[in-house]
Amino acid sequence: MAINYNKDNQVNKSDIFKTRRSLNKNMKNVTKSDRLMEGVGTWASYYRLFPHIFVRDYLQIDLKCFQQILIYFMMHFNYFLYLASRGQGKTWLTAIFCVTRSILFPETKIILASGQKSQAIEIIEKIMDLKGNSPNLAREIEDIKTSATDARCVFRNGSWIRVVASNQGARSKRANLIVVDEFRMVDKNIVDSVLRKFMTAPRQPKYLSKPEYKHLKERNKEIYLSSCWYKYHWSWDKVNTYKKAILEGKSYFACGLPYQLSIHEGLLDENQVLDEMSEDDFDETSWLMEMQCMFFGESDKAYFKFDDLEINRKITKAIYPKNTYKTLKDNKFKYENKVDGEIRFISCDISSVAGKQNDASAYTIFRLIPKYNKDGKFNRFDRQICFMETMVGGHSTVQALRIRELFEEFDCDYIVIDAQNFGLAIYDQMCMDLFDREKGIEYPAISCMNNDEMASRCIVPDAPKLVFAVKASSSLNSEMAISLKNNLKNGRYKFLISELECREYLLSLKGYEELTVEQQAKLKQPYLQTTYMINEFVNLSNEGKDGIVKLKEPSSGRKDRFTSILYGDHFAKYLENLYKQLDETEYEEFDSIVLW
């Protein structure tokens, strides 16, 4: 008895059990081989209808309730989109679905892609782990590799799963199913013109050669997985496209599962979540997207637009304090010295009070790379933000020592500091010889370059004038904000790539995976800080009037990272104006002696 399918090529549940009753009635009239194949057909149809039961019975893997539901929908919808919070194991679940599909549908061709190839390879690595714990799965697999150049899993029934890079070079492949992990990190043009083009023909089981089964042709499938992101991004449009298709009754599925589900299922510790949310550097915007599965869009009042910032995230390698480079012995991981004409400085926004409702101190390392016209005359500086860190509160001496330490570690030329309120106390500390008892290092006194009154506070005669003091007012803040916005829109800034994109670079470093969790987190920090900084930018609203820009952060937000960038941009503009006054012969001698 043949199994009937509905209009969406799904098995009708009632037919499975009709078939079983038919088998029982006619058991005496068929051979043992026929009975075996009828049984295989019945169970194959049953497991195709209920793939989560196949996972339990055959692969011997226990799934959480929500995972069973997701596996079911992955199997029965042609287009599947899953937005997951951290801790839900979407990579592991995707690996289980891929092997389930490959076993139940022989000669299935599956392509895995992601923003970074290493992420897609992780799915193959998860399959390898599953293989070690599931004897039945191990028998199904003929070959499995996790190398960066040839990551694949080949099954004895003709199915295979392969990893491809998400770029224009990934062509000439054929697939019945594509899985795009962290799809928001993949260029939309690559998805449309490369990955989706793999699916030129559906699977061709032999029964399609029989006229009575021609109507049972299968559809190819697309699966997209990611955390949420900003509404300006094409991934938000993708979600809305799926929503519209679902409402029209098409074979589309989309869901977003926030962190509360992970806690409920025991995949995430509630106390850990509460601790993270209470941390002083808690970033509400990132939490909204990563944990609450909500896309974020700047408000109508937002002064800075997200795409003006995100488009400039182009720097792959952060520059760390020199002592960090002792962590790894890899020739690719080395301190980057200054290029010709480069000026490097540290820009500081200062806070004295620790606490969730107060700003932290932010220290940002600027690289100014001079750009010249065709006639060799100076034009402007390109601004690169290569490192950033924050400190919540801290005694003036502690902060002064840290600023001086970073100044030396990065070979900085100047220090930009907020010279009002607590910033003045830190400046006074730097006006004296500072001694770091813990490290046994003495830092000589430095003085102010642009304010005679502040320079007079320095008690060491002839101390080098390396501090640029910013004394902000409403008019100066407005002027600085306008200038910074223009420089962002004109592409004069380069920021570090995202913390997800940096993963492939860090994994390429010899010995990185052997580092402790704390050491790995330290190397990721500058990338995370850049994300937090961008979130601060887009959360600022303009509440000024009469042409004056007055930027206000949300009641629970901060703007310390933004302010350190604001002050640094102001100093860069100041240097640009001075630089343009020099003759060409003086460019190479451009330093504090020439300027001040």
Side-chain angles (χ1 to χ4, degrees), residues 73-87:
F73 286 138
M74 283 181 181
M75 185 68 80
H76 292 293
F77 285 84
N78 297 329
Y79 300 91
F80 178 93
L81 189 149
Y82 172 30
L83 302 170
S85 69
R86 281 192 285 116

Side-chain angles (χ1 to χ4, degrees), residues 117-118 120-122 124-125 128 144-153 162-164:
K117 194 175 181 180
S118 59
I121 293 175
E122 274 195 12
I124 302 294
E125 291 173 344
M128 185 174 286
I144 187 167
K145 293 181 179 180
T146 59
S147 68
T149 55
D150 185 22
R152 57 191 168 95
C153 180
R162 297 180 187 275
V163 173
V164 300

